[in-house]
Amino acid sequence: MEGTEAVLKEIPIAEVQNLSMNSDAQASSSSEPSPEPMSLEEKFQLVRSIGEECIQEDELMNLLAKKPEPVCYDGFEPSGRMHIAQGVMKTINVNKLTKAGCRVKIWIADWFAQLNNKMGGDLKKIETVGRYLIEIWKAVGMDLECGRVEFLWSSKEINSRADEYWPLVMDIARRNKLPRIMRCCQIMGRSEQDELTAAQILYPCMQCADIFFLKADICQLGMDQRKVNVLAREYCDDIKRKNKPIILSHHMLPGLQEGQEKMSKSDPSSSIFMEDEEAEVNLKIKKAFCPPKIVQGNPCLEYVKYIIFPWFNNKFTIERDIKNGGDKIYTSFEELCADYESGDLHPGDLKPALAKALNTILKPVRDHFTKNAEAKDLLRRVKAYRVTR
């Protein structure tokens, strides 16, 4: 996404919508030969590898067989600084989808962030955060050169096609009882026991409508968004629509501390942020929960599995003293887990290697936010904002 700074300087929302941007980090020479076309099975395996769960696999195979460029939808609330799950994992997933020939619509859910009281409901701050997030994907290497990725601001898109959007929201709301909508509150980081505003009741109906509004074939969001995606499939049953959106739910990375099911932007110690300095990353990993010989519930090992191995083409290097076994290059997560469970690999050797790999990934982002004046200003403003629920 590098190379479009002139377009993005102090841009209003209207100028960003539908924008597909190039990435210097992923740029390739025009003289390079075109890759061999992927077989249907290769496409299926690549797309399926993104999801911890797929509803349904036969539908996904059929879609890939019949539609050359399936539309995938992912969305996010601009609600604060970006952690590596949102930055690196999303980049890995988007790059897999575009490689398989899919088109990806990334829904910048500014109105949804306002409904959910993010940034205190201040739409100008929410817009600033959205622009900051785009800058990160520019820097980290999301493959936008292919022209298959669009960033769409919800406020602009909904306003431009309001006559199509709001009747759809109303129909979804009309066909569902309040308890069914309440069960979707997890998508906002809420629970059914929370005291919700009327706006937060409207939110699931709108997110369900987004899927049809964007003409999405595949809902590619986290496991925490599963319930509203299932609601969209149920809505298809209600309206007798045969082609249901396929749900491809990716894994949720845990926080760095013991018992944290997911990263929290309000708890900096639980997350690695995309522009964290090298020393900050080293310290956070050093303090992270990583019990010896325990694989289950070990966040450091999850980071290796879901970030390091995919990013570095299934290669992870441990550097250690010869008396501790010497350097070792792992080419599979299963091999690494076996050594860790047996005690052949100690947390004291795993953690520095993990921190080094993460810092390698994050260096282009740090450099961008240091050298690019607009990006630097966006980060300064976002850091000054108070995270609200």
Side-chain angles (χ1 to χ4, degrees):
M1 287 171 76
E2 292 278 357
T4 57
E5 291 164 6
V7 179
L8 284 169
K9 286 182 179 179
E10 290 300 321
I11 43 176
I13 290 175
E15 295 178 26
V16 183
Q17 66 147 350
N18 297 325
L19 188 62
S20 295
M21 293 167 288
N22 296 330
S23 171
D24 285 344
Q26 295 292 321
S28 59
S29 170
S30 58
S31 62
E32 292 180 2
S34 299
E36 288 292 319
M38 298 177 72
S39 69
L40 174 58
E41 181 62 26
E42 287 172 332
K43 284 184 179 182
F44 174 80
Q45 292 299 334
L46 185 60
V47 174
R48 180 63 185 87
S49 71
I50 292 169
E52 185 170 285
E53 177 186 61
C54 178
I55 306 175
Q56 299 281 348
E57 288 188 348
D58 59 329
E59 294 175 16
L60 177 60
M61 180 66 86
N62 187 53
L63 172 70
L64 295 172
K66 293 184 176 180
K67 191 168 184 178
E69 293 188 332
V71 175
C72 304
Y73 144 74
D74 192 359
F76 65 93
E77 289 182 354
S79 58
R81 294 174 66 194
M82 183 186 283
H83 51 57
I84 57 172
Q86 193 177 25
V88 179
M89 280 185 68
K90 191 185 293 289
T91 296
I92 291 168
N93 292 343
V94 167
N95 289 354
K96 285 182 177 181
L97 290 168
T98 57
K99 185 177 179 181
C102 299
R103 305 194 70 85
V104 181
K105 296 183 178 183
I106 298 180
W107 191 238
I108 308 174
D110 51 350
W111 268 4
F112 292 77
Q114 186 179 42
L115 285 171
N116 205 16
N117 198 40
K118 299 300 174 68
M119 296 292 110
D122 187 325
L123 204 55
K124 288 186 181 296
K125 289 182 178 179
I126 291 167
E127 180 190 342
T128 298
V129 175
R131 290 168 52 209
Y132 146 84
L133 298 177
I134 291 173
E135 288 292 326
I136 288 181
W137 287 316
K138 283 174 57 181
V140 77
M142 186 178 283
D143 183 12
L144 301 156
E145 189 178 65
C146 62
R148 293 196 185 102
V149 180
E150 294 178 283
F151 290 98
L152 304 169
W153 295 82
S154 68
S155 57
K156 182 66 181 179
E157 293 298 311
I158 292 169
N159 274 335
S160 68
R161 294 156 56 199
D163 59 335
E164 179 183 343
Y165 187 80
W166 292 114
L168 183 56
V169 174
M170 291 167 63
D171 194 50
I172 290 166
R174 185 177 64 84
R175 292 174 183 270
N176 286 278
K177 305 297 184 186
L178 187 57
R180 178 66 185 89
I181 299 302
M182 293 281 286
R183 291 202 299 274
C184 293
C185 291
Q186 182 187 10
I187 67 173
M188 301 176 286
R190 313 285 173 178
S191 74
E192 294 180 54
Q193 286 70 45
D194 288 348
E195 187 174 352
L196 302 175
T197 65
Q200 289 164 335
I201 299 297
L202 181 63
Y203 189 120
C205 298
M206 290 175 63
Q207 185 168 326
C208 182
D210 292 343
I211 297 164
F212 304 100
F213 183 68
L214 295 172
K215 298 176 171 56
D217 300 302
I218 300 172
C219 301
Q220 204 295 285
L221 298 102
M223 287 294 293
D224 61 337
Q225 304 297 301
R226 181 184 187 277
K227 289 181 179 179
V228 76
N229 293 332
V230 171
L231 180 68
R233 288 179 64 89
E234 293 172 355
Y235 178 66
C236 289
D237 291 333
D238 289 341
I239 63 173
K240 306 296 188 291
R241 171 174 161 157
K242 290 183 178 180
N243 294 328
K244 299 179 182 180
I246 295 158
I247 303 172
L248 196 63
S249 304
H250 63 251
H251 180 74
M252 301 294 293
L253 270 187
L256 290 169
Q257 305 306 311
E258 183 176 6
Q260 292 180 328
E261 292 185 0
K262 59 185 288 188
M263 296 183 194
S264 170
K265 293 177 183 178
S266 59
D267 179 7
S269 69
S270 77
S271 307
I272 302 293
F273 292 107
M274 291 296 292
E275 0 70 21
D276 273 349
E277 295 296 333
E278 183 176 351
E280 290 179 289
V281 174
N282 292 339
L283 182 61
K284 287 180 179 182
I285 295 299
K286 184 178 180 179
K287 291 183 174 180
F289 180 64
C290 189
K293 300 184 179 182
I294 302 297
V295 171
Q296 191 69 27
N298 188 322
C300 290
L301 289 176
E302 291 222 13
Y303 283 32
V304 173
K305 179 179 180 179
Y306 290 101
I307 293 179
I308 306 306
F309 271 112
W311 192 269
F312 293 104
N313 296 314
N314 295 317
K315 182 179 175 181
F316 180 49
T317 303
I318 299 288
E319 297 175 352
R320 57 189 175 186
D321 195 281
I322 191 69
K323 67 182 181 183
N324 294 325
D327 295 354
K328 183 167 183 177
I329 298 175
Y330 289 96
T331 56
S332 79
F333 184 68
E334 291 73 22
E335 180 189 12
L336 183 143
C337 283
D339 276 6
Y340 194 83
E341 283 187 304
S342 70
D344 287 346
L345 176 59
H346 190 270
D349 297 316
L350 173 71
K351 285 186 172 186
L354 172 58
K356 182 177 180 178
L358 289 173
N359 277 315
T360 299
I361 296 170
L362 298 181
K363 187 178 185 304
V365 180
R366 286 191 208 108
D367 290 347
H368 181 64
F369 279 89
T370 300
K371 297 173 183 176
N372 181 285
E374 296 301 325
K376 188 175 183 178
D377 181 61
L378 283 170
L379 177 59
R380 177 190 60 78
R381 284 191 272 169
V382 171
K383 281 186 171 181
Y385 295 158
R386 185 172 66 88
V387 176
T388 60
R389 276 183 53 80

